Amino acid sequence: MFVDKAKIYVKGGDGGDGLVAFRREKYVPEGGPAGGDGGRGGDVIFRVDEGLRTLMDFRYQRHFKAERGVKGRNKSQHGANAEHMIVRIPPGTVLIDDDTKEIIADMTRHGQQVVVARGGRGGRGNTRFATAANTAPELAENGEEGQERYIVMELKVMADVGLVGFPSVGKSTLLSVVSAAQPKIGAYHFTTITPNLGVVDVGDGRSFVMADLPGLIEGASEGVGLGHEFLRHVERTRIIIHVVDMSGSEGRDPFEDWVKINDELRQYNAGLIDRPQIVAANKMDMPESEANLAAFREKVAELRPDLEIMPISSLTRQGVQELLYRATDILDSIPVAPVVEEVAETKERKVYKLEAEEDNSFTITRDNDAFVVSSPRIERMLKRMQLSTHDAILKLARTLRHMGVDAELRKRGAVEGTIVRIADFEFEFVENSSYY
């Protein structure tokens, strides 16, 4: 089964917790703090594997979580960093952040990789908090949470030649004739609902990959019919073979078909019109095809006199070999590099630490008899700090006092025993004390 779109959840590993420990050895009096830092959590990394052609694997596995870092150890030993999680994806996959709709990366080359969810930093052990004023701190941090996000994966088939055209013009038949691909063929519309790939051996030592892409209809650029499910695959093809039914067997005019398909391509992506294109005038073995071809040439010459029109018959194989030779010649004359999405360069910045730790802004709201304090800096501190020790509570109290939270609570009417909520924690306000 061909799957070309998937939505998955990724999460980097959490950092390991720091440790509160002290050096206790027989001949080392007053050994001091010896709690090590936690290890860093693993990253989730997507890597291109040219052996994959579909997103089928992501239909059954939708959650990817990296391992967390190892907790710090005594004797100031650092916890081990977690192994990164490597996820293999097919070439041509575009990764999009589901929340911001921003393109994370356009993966086209074998071995190309990108970090989609970074692991959290490890927490600091009590060794890091030793100062001249506090030589034996009982302070340690929890590991930082790993980055998490939902990602939409869109696969754009990477083929050298793409067959486009209205339904039932003979695209699947042409692919089955020139390659070993066996697409389902039927005398009804939209037989092809997913791209079919085939390797074409031209016969002179050259070969290329051809894709039979699902049939278009008018309004596809606005999502009608298969809409964007088809059009995104056209963007990756190096040249376009536009298959037109010259017999008019479906009751349509060949020239109008050609105009409508090109209009849909232009509306979806204006750059597709500049892509090299060959018109394959198919079904030339049918009655009235010759007359229709002559009229078609005259009308097309008025709009695009440089456009190549090659009469073929997929059924009798008339002109098929000449079409393959011409397509190969064009492929040899244009760059091999695939067309990729324009992804804005984003530099990794470290300003988040400055913003979180030095931003002293806070808000206080009333919830019945309790006060609710909201502050990015305090909430971050509560997540990281292990509040199971007296030293940690004192550090929190000092931070609140220096930020002015104590004074503001008194102004709002806080008295002895008033409940103060911060994030998921509840404290009792205590007058004339250094902590809640």
Side-chain angles (χ1 to χ4, degrees):
M1 182 182 296
F2 186 89
V3 177
D4 60 358
K5 191 170 184 177
K7 180 179 177 181
I8 62 172
Y9 169 82
V10 295
K11 185 181 187 307
D14 297 338
D17 297 338
L19 183 70
V20 174
F22 295 92
R23 188 175 181 183
R24 295 183 176 88
E25 296 181 32
K26 185 174 182 180
Y27 299 107
V28 185
E30 300 179 355
D37 300 344
R40 184 180 181 88
D43 297 337
V44 180
I45 301 174
F46 281 7
R47 180 180 296 166
V48 176
D49 185 343
E50 62 185 7
L52 301 177
R53 290 297 178 201
T54 175
L55 299 177
M56 186 66 178
D57 292 343
F58 301 97
R59 184 173 183 179
Y60 301 104
Q61 184 178 356
R62 297 179 181 271
H63 289 74
F64 297 87
K65 296 182 180 180
E67 295 293 329
R68 71 173 301 154
V70 177
K71 186 177 180 179
R73 303 177 65 182
N74 57 6
K75 297 185 180 179
S76 302
Q77 296 180 82
H78 195 295
N81 296 331
E83 294 288 336
H84 298 315
M85 172 179 278
I86 306 296
V87 181
R88 298 184 305 135
I89 61 175
T93 304
V94 179
L95 306 176
I96 304 171
D97 188 292
D98 189 50
D99 292 328
T100 64
K101 307 304 178 186
E102 177 186 4
I103 296 176
I104 301 170
D106 191 353
M107 312 295 284
T108 57
R109 304 184 311 275
H110 177 66
Q112 180 183 358
Q113 63 182 35
V114 63
V115 178
V116 295
R118 294 195 177 277
R121 295 175 298 175
R124 293 177 293 178
N126 67 332
T127 305
R128 301 285 188 176
F129 295 96
T131 64
N134 187 2
T135 57
E138 294 186 4
L139 282 174
E141 291 180 333
N142 296 318
E144 188 178 52
E145 293 181 353
Q147 182 184 13
E148 57 182 324
R149 57 167 66 166
Y150 281 93
I151 293 178
V152 175
M153 308 173 67
E154 291 187 355
L155 176 61
K156 297 182 179 181
V157 170
M158 297 184 66
D160 297 309
V161 177
L163 301 177
V164 304
F166 269 86
S168 301
V169 296
K171 300 186 299 299
S172 298
T173 303
L174 176 60
L175 180 66
S176 67
V177 167
V178 300
S179 72
Q182 297 179 344
K184 182 180 178 181
I185 301 172
Y188 49 90
H189 292 321
F190 287 104
T191 301
T192 307
I193 59 175
T194 60
N196 292 303
L197 293 176
V199 178
V200 179
D201 184 0
V202 181
D204 58 358
R206 296 181 294 176
S207 62
F208 59 82
V209 178
M210 178 182 285
D212 163 29
L213 303 172
L216 270 174
I217 62 174
E218 191 173 4
S221 60
E222 300 174 358
V224 177
L226 293 175
H228 297 163
E229 300 301 317
F230 157 80
L231 284 165
R232 70 165 171 267
H233 296 301
V234 184
E235 291 182 299
R236 284 288 146 81
T237 57
R238 295 169 60 198
I239 69 172
I240 296 172
I241 293 182
H242 192 153
V243 184
V244 179
D245 179 6
M246 279 299 152
S247 68
S249 59
E250 296 290 322
R252 298 192 305 265
D253 180 67
F255 178 73
E256 291 182 2
D257 284 2
W258 178 78
V259 170
K260 289 177 180 177
I261 295 297
N262 281 317
D263 284 344
E264 296 303 326
L265 296 176
R266 183 185 297 106
Q267 291 175 32
Y268 179 73
N269 186 340
L272 292 176
I273 297 302
D274 299 327
R275 199 72 50 86
Q277 183 179 141
I278 303 173
V279 174
N282 196 22
K283 302 186 181 181
M284 292 303 297
D285 56 306
M286 300 286 285
E288 302 182 359
S289 293
E290 290 292 345
N292 291 339
L293 176 60
F296 181 82
R297 288 183 184 276
E298 292 180 4
K299 294 177 181 178
V300 171
E302 297 177 0
L303 299 177
R304 290 188 59 178
D306 60 323
L307 187 65
E308 292 188 66
I309 303 172
M310 303 189 69
I312 67 167
S313 171
S314 299
L315 188 63
T316 64
R317 304 196 179 190
Q318 169 193 346
V320 171
Q321 191 61 43
E322 290 76 8
L323 175 65
L324 299 182
Y325 283 138
R326 182 57 189 145
T328 310
D329 291 340
I330 295 176
L331 287 172
D332 291 341
S333 65
I334 60 178
V336 178
V339 179
V340 298
E341 299 283 350
E342 292 293 333
V343 181
E345 292 291 335
T346 56
K347 295 182 179 179
E348 183 181 356
R349 298 180 294 172
K350 299 297 184 183
V351 295
Y352 66 86
K353 183 175 181 180
L354 180 68
E355 293 172 353
E357 295 188 1
E358 294 190 2
D359 181 9
N360 290 330
S361 63
F362 62 89
T363 59
I364 298 177
T365 57
R366 193 71 181 259
D367 182 13
N368 296 325
D369 294 333
F371 289 95
V372 180
V373 179
S374 300
S375 166
R377 178 183 176 185
I378 300 173
E379 291 170 8
R380 174 180 169 84
M381 183 178 180
L382 287 173
K383 279 187 177 181
R384 296 298 303 274
M385 194 63 63
Q386 297 176 8
L387 297 177
S388 57
T389 63
H390 183 70
D391 282 2
I393 298 296
L394 289 177
K395 181 177 177 63
L396 173 63
R398 286 194 298 269
T399 301
L400 294 174
R401 187 170 60 253
H402 292 157
M403 290 176 61
V405 177
D406 282 23
E408 186 64 26
L409 284 171
R410 290 189 181 93
K411 288 181 182 179
R412 297 290 185 93
V415 295
E416 184 88 17
T418 299
I419 298 298
V420 179
R421 295 196 188 103
I422 308 176
D424 296 330
F425 295 86
E426 279 193 1
F427 304 92
E428 285 188 8
F429 189 80
V430 180
E431 284 285 1
N432 301 321
S433 178
S434 57
Y435 62 95
Y436 297 97

